[in-house]
Amino acid sequence: MTAGSHGNRFGHFIAIDWSGAAGERHKGIALAMATRGNAAPRSIRPGHRWSRNEVLDYLRNELPDDALVGMDLGISLPFADHGAFFPGWRDTPASARELWALIDGICGDEPHLGVSALVDHPDLCAFFRRHGGREGALFGGGQGRFRATEAAQRRMGCKPYSNFNLVGAAQVGKSSLSGMRLLHRLADRASVWPVDGLPDEGPVICEIYTTIAAMAAGRTASRSKMRSALELDEALAALGSPPSGLAGPLDDHTCDALVTAAWLRTAAHDPRLWHPRELSDEIARTEGWTFGAV
């Protein structure tokens, strides 16, 4: 596939604001879709309180074959810093797909794509920072371990968190780990960029960071969250999209999904975003990358 044809193969652009919170249904999950052309993006099942399993079912059964799906979560764990996800552990996986299989295998009996069995695993808990002041001896201290793509995010002005950190309102560890269970269960339905490369056909899932989309829409990293139709429509206009047709106050999850869907539609045509300078074959296979991080 030539660099200029990347975006042309997609006709549907779906953004998913994800959640790793406990329980079944979550106000923090929102889905939106933009289509080829310049129509305003639309929420998928607006007002619905999604469960993670419902998102899995949607992606498995309703996803268009020409869809590019951005999920707001980390698709893997740090690997490059130590040459392993879990250095020193004899069963540490060698690739992102093996990591997803491991997580889903350990947590297979947990409902709602939960991951408590993983973070409380007698061997693996040492790598995580958990609630109650429980910082594992192998967490790494400070802010913890980071992937190469998260270093790229920092250079852009973002403030990523380690996927080994499970503490704090801004942590993304649990949502990322639960998302890895979902990715494992979609192995026969969709490719994941860049872990699987970029095939010529079929739906593709990529990791997104909604702050990057908001910045592309003219907002700063510290003001990336939008909570009104006015803010949303200003961001959409900056991305060349018509207004949303919504009014009044909105939740930030809905805004994140709508803006990111509109951004994916434009960003997919930028060959630089498919070929980040630091994305080696080894990093693609193990750590993955955030679409839009350069």
Side-chain angles (χ1 to χ4, degrees):
M1 180 179 295
T2 62
S5 66
H6 290 327
N8 297 329
R9 84 175 218 46
F10 299 113
H12 296 80
F13 305 87
I14 298 170
I16 301 177
D17 204 21
W18 187 246
S19 172
E24 182 179 5
R25 298 185 180 276
H26 306 282
K27 64 180 181 181
I29 297 178
L31 281 69
M33 180 190 293
T35 53
R36 184 181 288 124
N38 64 352
R42 293 285 180 254
S43 291
I44 299 173
R45 300 182 200 171
H48 179 66
R49 184 167 285 209
W50 289 83
S51 71
R52 285 182 286 269
N53 279 317
E54 284 179 332
V55 176
L56 174 61
D57 289 342
Y58 172 83
L59 294 175
R60 177 170 292 284
N61 300 314
E62 299 182 50
L63 191 62
D65 283 340
D66 65 350
L68 175 62
V69 182
M71 297 195 69
D72 187 27
L73 53 87
I75 62 171
S76 190
L77 294 173
F79 186 99
D81 57 348
H82 292 296
F85 297 118
F86 306 111
W89 187 50
R90 66 175 185 176
D91 295 323
T92 189
S95 68
R97 282 211 168 271
E98 290 177 34
L99 174 67
W100 305 341
L102 172 78
I103 294 171
D104 197 49
I106 291 174
C107 304
D109 293 333
E110 274 190 68
H112 320 312
L113 298 178
V115 292
S116 295
L118 177 82
V119 300
D120 294 332
H121 186 280
D123 295 326
L124 301 180
C125 63
F127 293 92
F128 292 94
R129 175 185 283 156
R130 298 177 290 165
H131 288 89
R134 295 175 296 165
E135 181 173 310
L138 301 175
F139 175 72
Q143 294 182 313
R145 297 168 59 197
F146 287 92
R147 296 179 296 157
T149 191
E150 288 148 0
Q153 292 172 17
R154 282 199 298 270
R155 291 193 295 271
M156 298 174 71
C158 301
K159 295 182 179 179
Y161 281 72
S162 170
N163 289 335
F164 282 114
N165 176 40
L166 311 177
V167 180
Q171 63 88 12
V172 295
K174 287 185 177 177
S175 63
S176 296
L177 294 169
S178 67
M180 293 177 212
R181 290 192 63 187
L182 175 142
L183 293 176
H184 175 66
R185 296 184 176 208
L186 286 172
D188 60 347
R189 179 65 186 102
S191 301
V192 178
W193 179 88
V195 174
D196 302 319
L198 186 61
D200 290 334
E201 58 184 20
V204 174
I205 298 173
C206 65
E207 171 182 331
I208 55 170
Y209 188 3
T210 57
T211 297
I212 293 176
M215 291 168 65
R219 301 182 70 86
T220 63
S222 61
R223 293 182 57 254
S224 63
K225 295 302 180 185
M226 293 156 270
R227 296 180 174 86
S228 72
L230 177 61
E231 289 181 306
L232 169 63
D233 288 344
E234 288 176 347
L236 290 177
L239 294 169
S241 169
S244 64
L246 303 174
L250 298 171
D251 67 87
D252 59 296
H253 308 292
T254 295
C255 292
D256 280 348
L258 287 165
V259 167
T260 305
W263 170 75
L264 277 173
R265 177 169 59 191
T266 62
H269 294 275
D270 186 346
R272 297 175 310 143
L273 302 185
W274 296 105
H275 303 283
R277 292 186 303 275
E278 297 179 40
L279 179 58
S280 65
D281 290 344
E282 176 76 359
I283 289 176
R285 187 179 62 83
T286 56
E287 292 192 349
W289 198 264
T290 309
F291 186 69
V294 293

